[in-house]
Amino acid sequence: MRLALFPLSIFLLPEGITRLRIFEPRYKRLVADALCTGQGFGLCLPKESHSLYDIGTRVEIYNFDQDVNGFLTIDIKGIERFTFKDIISDDDGLMHADVTVVNGWETIQMTPQYEFMLTPLKLVLTSIPLYVDRVNLQGFDNLSWICQRWLEILPVPADKKYWLAEQSTLEPTIDFIREVIT
């Protein structure tokens, strides 16, 4: 699948949500294309060297509006992780790549030994406007979902988030979250 790529210093994983403010013409075009095709676009973390980490998240737009300054705002939700190679750029700088979907972490039922992550996460998410109405509808019974939300919100370097998201199991992420919040 070929996706347009949006390099942004926002770390979003499957089922995560966020709001973006769109003002550059190339990204307005990205939004229009994503809405027309229904396949969304790729959100990718930029590196300091002006390149991109080679894993991203395909996102879909589930709401859009205009802010008080007249800029387009879009609410997006992470759908699936992907890897990519061979980025090409249009004349206006909009990047595209052929992507390959990678398996996400398996769904793991929440158990009492991981409760240390649950209450603080609910408190944090209820302070984020996009999550307020959704907190009771979320995947708090799924340890993978909980770990992904922690990775999105913890203020740690992109390299660390990228490394943890790349792991095939949850254990390194659980250990990291335990170390940071307890």
Side-chain angles (χ1 to χ4, degrees), residues 14 81 102-107 148 168:
R81 293 184 317 159
V102 296
N103 292 331
W105 291 324
E106 66 179 292
T107 299
Q148 288 179 108
S168 60

Side-chain angles (χ1 to χ4, degrees), residues 57-144:
T57 300
R58 184 174 72 85
V59 300
E60 291 180 348
I61 300 166
Y62 69 89
N63 191 24
F64 58 93
D65 203 352
Q66 260 188 337
D67 68 13
V68 295
N69 297 315
F71 290 109
L72 173 65
T73 61
I74 59 172
D75 296 339
I76 59 174
K77 179 179 183 176
I79 304 300
E80 59 197 354
R81 293 184 317 159
F82 63 82
T83 60
F84 60 92
K85 297 179 187 173
D86 304 325
I87 296 174
I88 60 164
S89 291
D90 295 341
D91 290 340
D92 63 0
L94 183 62
M95 295 183 284
H96 303 266
D98 289 322
V99 304
T100 303
V101 173
V102 296
N103 292 331
W105 291 324
E106 66 179 292
T107 299
I108 299 173
Q109 186 67 34
M110 181 65 173
T111 60
Q113 78 186 71
Y114 303 112
E115 289 288 326
F116 69 93
M117 288 190 270
L118 196 55
T119 301
L121 181 62
K122 284 183 178 180
L123 288 172
V124 170
L125 292 183
T126 56
S127 71
I128 301 171
L130 285 177
Y131 275 101
V132 169
D133 295 335
R134 297 171 156 246
V135 164
N136 293 327
L137 306 173
Q138 299 302 327
F140 289 109
D141 59 343
N142 177 354
L143 186 58
S144 300

